[in-house]
Amino acid sequence: MEDLVESGVLDYIRALKKKGTVRHIGFSSHNPEVAEMLLDTKLMDMMMFSLNPAYDLEKGDELGIGTVSARRRLLERCQAEGVGISVMKPFHGGKLLSSEMSPFRFQLTIPQLLQYAFDRPGVLTVLPGVRGLADLNLLLDALGATPQEKDYSVIGSALPEHAVGSCVYCAHCQPCSKGIQIGLMNKYYDLARGGDVLAADHYRKLEVHAEACIRCGHCDSRCPFGVKQSQRMQEIARYFGNL
Ligand code: SF4
Ligand code: SF4
C-alpha cells in the first residue's frame, strides 16, 4: 500500500479517473487489512476477494487471511460503500468439494458454495476457476439447483466457538409461520448497523417486519448456527422502530 502511494500510482489512477479515461477502479486482495486501506482511498469501485466458508471460518490456507469478524466487517463495508465484490477461490481450490481434502472433513457441493458466496454482503459475482468444458458444464448445471440443493447450513456443524450465534443468512430456518424472511431481514439489520443507509430502506420495503414475530421458536430450533432468532427479532424491531 505504501508503495502504491509513494510510487505515485494511486495519484496517476486518480487523475485518469478524473479525466474520464478510467471509468471504474478495482483491486484484488486476500487480506482484509490491506483491503480496508485501499477502501480508505475512496477510489475503489470493486474488489476481488478470496472467499469461501473455510476462509471465513479461519480454517483455510495461507490465502484465507483475517478473523471471522474482520472478514465479515470488510464485506459489510463494501456493501455499505457500494463497492461490488467479485469472489475468487469460492471452492477453496476445489478442496471443499472433496471430503478428504476439505478442512471440514465433509464435502460441500458447487450449488451450496455458490449460494454461500452470493449470500455474503456486497458480493455481485463469483469466479470459479474453469479448467475446461467439463468444469463449465458443472457450473452451468448449478443454475438449475433447487433451494434444498443450495442449502449450505451443514457448515453450522463446523463452526469455531466465536462464530456461534451469528446469522449467515442461509434461510435454513424457513418457513416462518408469520411470513418473516428471516435471513434477509438479518442481513439488512447487520448492514444497517454497519452504516449501510440503503439497508434500512430495504428493511422497510419488506412485506412483513420483525414486530410480527410471535416467538414460536421454530427458527431457533432449526438454526444450525446457534442463532437465537426469536430474541433477535425483538432486537431488530427495536432497532428499526427507533430509527
Ligand atoms: S437464523 Fe440460522 S438458519 Fe436462519 S438464516 Fe440465520 S443462520 Fe440461517
Ligand atoms: S420465532 Fe418469530 S421469526 Fe422465528 S419462526 Fe417463529 S415467528 Fe418466525
Side-chain angles (χ1 to χ4, degrees), residues 6-216:
E6 279 164 23
S7 66
V9 170
L10 268 187
D11 285 340
Y12 179 62
I13 298 175
R14 193 179 273 120
L16 287 180
K17 190 167 185 187
K18 210 168 167 191
K19 274 202 290 185
T21 312
V22 165
R23 300 279 298 276
H24 300 289
I25 302 172
F27 67 98
S28 85
S29 178
H30 301 293
N31 187 326
E33 210 179 310
V34 173
E36 293 273 4
M37 285 194 269
L38 284 158
L39 293 178
D40 288 343
T41 66
K42 304 289 177 201
L43 268 180
M44 303 301 161
D45 299 301
M46 69 84 65
M47 168 178 87
M48 285 190 85
F49 192 66
S50 38
L51 185 158
N52 60 55
Y55 288 174
D56 290 349
L57 297 174
E58 302 171 27
K59 291 174 190 275
D61 56 14
E62 68 284 354
L63 299 183
I65 301 167
T67 60
V68 173
S69 56
R71 295 177 66 86
R72 203 176 163 114
R73 264 197 317 275
L74 173 65
L75 306 191
E76 289 177 357
R77 179 176 178 187
C78 284
Q79 169 98 34
E81 296 182 7
V83 175
I85 299 172
S86 171
V87 170
M88 308 185 274
K89 298 269 173 200
F91 310 148
H92 189 0
K95 290 193 185 76
L96 290 173
L97 302 172
S98 149
S99 52
E100 286 82 41
M101 291 164 74
S102 168
F104 296 134
R105 301 284 165 248
F106 55 78
Q107 179 187 15
L108 289 157
T109 65
I110 290 175
Q112 286 173 317
L113 290 166
L114 291 178
Q115 190 61 46
Y116 174 84
F118 281 122
D119 282 348
R120 295 315 97 212
V123 170
L124 298 181
T125 184
V126 181
L127 289 177
V130 173
R131 291 162 299 185
L133 201 55
D135 281 358
L136 188 58
N137 279 324
L138 283 174
L139 291 170
L140 291 174
D141 285 349
L143 290 174
T146 63
Q148 288 74 25
E149 287 166 333
K150 292 192 256 186
D151 183 341
Y152 52 83
S153 57
V154 62
I155 297 165
S157 61
L159 292 185
E161 210 175 302
H162 55 285
V164 174
S166 287
C167 181
V168 298
Y169 327 125
C170 68
H172 184 73
C173 52
Q174 296 289 152
C176 161
S177 61
K178 302 308 285 181
I180 296 174
Q181 294 185 64
I182 298 168
L184 194 57
M185 185 176 285
N186 274 265
K187 196 174 196 175
Y188 293 155
Y189 175 51
D190 289 338
L191 288 169
R193 285 190 307 163
D196 184 342
V197 282
L198 292 178
D201 217 37
H202 293 324
Y203 172 83
R204 291 205 180 86
K205 287 186 182 134
L206 288 172
E207 242 168 71
V208 186
H209 295 105
E211 290 83 352
C213 175
I214 52 170
R215 305 189 74 186
C216 69

